[in-house]
Amino acid sequence: MQSVDRAVSVLEILARHGEAGVTEIADELGVHKSTAFRLLGALENRGLVTQARERGKYSLGAGLLRLAGAAAGRLDITQESAPLCRALADEVGDTVNVAVLDDDAAVNVAQARGAASVTSYNWIGRRTPLHATSSGKVLLAHAPAAVRERVLAAAPTAFTPHTVTAPDRLARLLDETVERGYAVAVEELETGLNAVAAPVRCHDGTVTGALSVSGPAYRLKAELLPEIAQRAVAVAAELSRRLGYGG
């Protein structure tokens, strides 16, 4: 933890000064120059700092722009989705969430509950499995091939008797998700819970999130899911437009 704290302090020093040498950084951290040099080397290897060879001083690297861009994208989708989730939740009466891909899971970043929602559970920040949720299926269907292959090869967990775990069947469902433009989950994560989800795209057309509607199976009956899905598709398209997608 001390090394992590010191590495963050190095970034803060460079953010304050614009650039600094090993000696300056070591003095501010109160450590030996060799320690500061090791920290800078590790940060440089990850692209978080860069060194001007002719001056020997360090400055913040382009790798921070990549991290900042990812954070800004999540912030944008969270802010822009809030009123749309609220309106859709009021319309359908159930819970509306927006999730983004985080490694091998879907993480919910926005939520609105409708008047008919039977639970007050807060899904924001919760990591959910890609193969057993509607949002997860959307994200997995549009994920890089390496992510998709890793999940399919990892013997997915069965959360209920309805969870699809066979890799070949799951692969077909993902292809269907892309083709029809939405995903469904019928009691796959929890018994009695059904959901639909549609993709949310950023300015370049990349799927950056998934907007879902979920509720109890006795109200969100399987035969009604295609109709609910079309509402999710429409709202996801509007959210995509607000994020700059013109397709």
Side-chain angles (χ1 to χ4, degrees):
M1 289 301 295
Q2 186 182 53
S3 295
V4 174
D5 184 67
R6 286 174 172 171
V8 172
S9 295
V10 170
L11 297 176
E12 291 174 339
I13 290 168
L14 294 177
R16 250 190 343 265
H17 298 301
E19 62 176 21
V22 176
T23 301
E24 297 168 75
I25 291 171
D27 288 345
E28 286 210 36
L29 290 178
V31 300
H32 193 274
K33 283 178 61 176
S34 62
T35 300
F37 187 77
R38 285 196 299 272
L39 289 168
L40 286 162
L43 291 169
E44 186 176 21
N45 286 338
R46 303 304 293 268
L48 300 178
V49 304
T50 186
Q51 185 181 23
R53 301 296 176 186
E54 66 277 7
R55 298 191 307 277
K57 291 186 178 285
Y58 290 85
S59 58
L60 295 177
L64 285 173
L65 296 176
R66 171 176 50 82
L67 298 178
R74 291 194 177 188
L75 182 60
D76 286 347
I77 196 172
T78 301
Q79 292 177 335
E80 294 293 344
S81 65
L84 296 175
C85 288
R86 177 73 271 151
L88 183 57
D90 289 343
E91 177 186 338
V92 300
D94 285 297
T95 302
V96 178
N97 283 288
V98 172
V100 297
L101 183 66
D102 185 25
D103 195 15
D104 290 347
V107 175
N108 292 287
V109 297
Q111 174 178 288
R113 287 190 293 269
S117 178
V118 296
T119 177
S120 60
Y121 188 85
N122 186 356
W123 291 84
I124 294 180
R126 179 178 174 183
R127 292 169 59 85
T128 57
L130 296 176
H131 69 286
T133 61
S134 59
S135 291
K137 288 178 186 177
V138 166
L139 295 170
L140 185 56
H142 295 277
V147 175
R148 181 166 169 165
E149 291 168 5
R150 186 166 63 244
V151 172
L152 291 176
T157 302
F159 296 94
T160 75
H162 301 284
T163 308
V164 177
T165 58
D168 56 345
R169 186 182 170 200
L170 185 55
R172 288 196 299 273
L173 289 176
L174 296 177
D175 290 340
E176 290 174 10
T177 294
V178 174
E179 183 177 344
R180 70 186 174 190
Y182 66 87
V184 301
V186 178
E187 300 189 81
E188 294 184 47
L189 180 63
E190 297 177 9
T191 299
L193 177 68
N194 289 348
V196 297
V200 176
R201 300 178 185 273
C202 59
H203 68 281
D204 63 359
T206 302
V207 172
T208 189
L211 183 144
S212 67
V213 177
S214 60
Y218 65 80
R219 189 166 59 249
L220 251 61
K221 295 181 172 62
E223 60 268 24
L224 298 178
L225 294 183
E227 179 182 346
I228 299 295
Q230 292 309 314
R231 289 299 304 130
V233 167
V235 176
E238 172 59 18
L239 177 53
S240 300
R241 188 192 66 77
R242 296 189 183 193
L243 293 175
Y245 178 59

